[in-house]
Amino acid sequence: GSCDNTARLWDLKGTVLQVFKGHENVITSVAFSPDGKNVLTGSMDNSARLWDMNGNSVQTFIGHEDMITSLSFSPDGKSILTGSDDNTARLWDLHGNVIQVFKGHQGAIFSVAFSPDGKSILTGSLDNTARLWDLHGNALQVLKGHENVVSSVAFSPDGNIILTGSYDNTARLWNLKGNVIHLFRGH
């Protein structure tokens, strides 16, 4: 994704295989579908787009009130998750319909992730917290302890551990009850 409003697919030799053109502003986030047949892009134009591998826009996701900062496909590839500077995350079906809006953060959402089983999501925010949610928009845990923006979130492959990275120069491992298992310092 680029400041030239395009995303590009490259081979390992540096040859451009496809250019994804259609956003009206900077592309901030990109993802492959689990089956590798589609590309998803998020932009400062407040939209996300689903593309086929030929560069055709298949679906546009419109509803955020500010730029999209992060996005992810569900593990089964049947839905997508977007995080935005509008302090919300949104769960969408592939037809562009909003399934759920996740509200509760007091700052922009910098990172989103699906659990490996697709039954919960994580969001990391400018408000120095991460949140674990069910798919109905209920916050299951608020992960507090970082002293700056939570810029990155991830689940372990078994879904039982959460990893967060922050502008406070630390990373933290958490259990699903919101307890810190380990604090990583050194950056």
Side-chain angles (χ1 to χ4, degrees):
S2 174
C3 289
D4 70 3
N5 307 349
T6 69
R8 293 173 188 255
L9 180 65
W10 308 76
D11 69 14
L12 296 180
K13 295 179 182 175
T15 303
V16 175
L17 302 175
Q18 192 55 255
V19 177
F20 302 93
K21 188 183 285 187
H23 280 290
E24 296 174 9
N25 208 325
V26 173
I27 294 178
T28 57
S29 189
V30 295
F32 278 106
S33 62
D35 64 8
K37 294 181 179 178
N38 294 95
V39 169
L40 186 63
T41 56
S43 172
M44 290 178 79
D45 68 10
N46 306 353
S47 74
R49 287 184 182 236
L50 182 66
W51 308 84
D52 67 21
M53 297 308 276
N54 294 318
N56 301 308
S57 180
V58 176
Q59 184 63 55
T60 303
F61 303 85
I62 298 174
H64 280 291
E65 296 174 12
D66 208 330
M67 69 182 230
I68 293 176
T69 55
S70 181
L71 45 75
S72 179
F73 275 96
S74 62
D76 65 7
K78 294 181 179 178
S79 59
I80 67 161
L81 181 63
T82 55
S84 171
D85 263 11
D86 68 8
N87 303 355
T88 69
R90 292 175 189 248
L91 181 65
W92 311 76
D93 67 21
L94 296 183
H95 302 291
N97 302 306
V98 175
I99 299 168
Q100 186 63 54
V101 178
F102 301 86
K103 294 181 180 179
H105 281 292
Q106 301 303 307
I109 294 177
F110 275 49
S111 184
V112 297
F114 276 97
S115 62
D117 65 6
K119 294 181 180 177
S120 58
I121 67 158
L122 273 174
T123 54
S125 173
L126 181 71
D127 68 10
N128 303 352
T129 70
R131 290 178 184 247
L132 176 65
W133 310 80
D134 68 18
L135 297 183
H136 302 291
N138 302 307
L140 303 174
Q141 294 295 335
V142 178
L143 309 176
K144 295 180 181 179
H146 282 293
E147 296 173 6
N148 208 324
V149 174
V150 177
S151 56
S152 187
V153 296
F155 282 96
S156 63
D158 66 6
N160 292 323
I161 305 286
I162 293 168
L163 178 64
T164 57
S166 172
Y167 285 12
D168 68 9
N169 301 332
T170 69
R172 293 170 188 247
L173 284 178
W174 311 75
N175 64 23
L176 297 180
K177 295 183 186 219
N179 300 314
V180 175
I181 299 169
H182 192 78
L183 172 63
F184 298 94
R185 294 186 187 273
H187 286 292

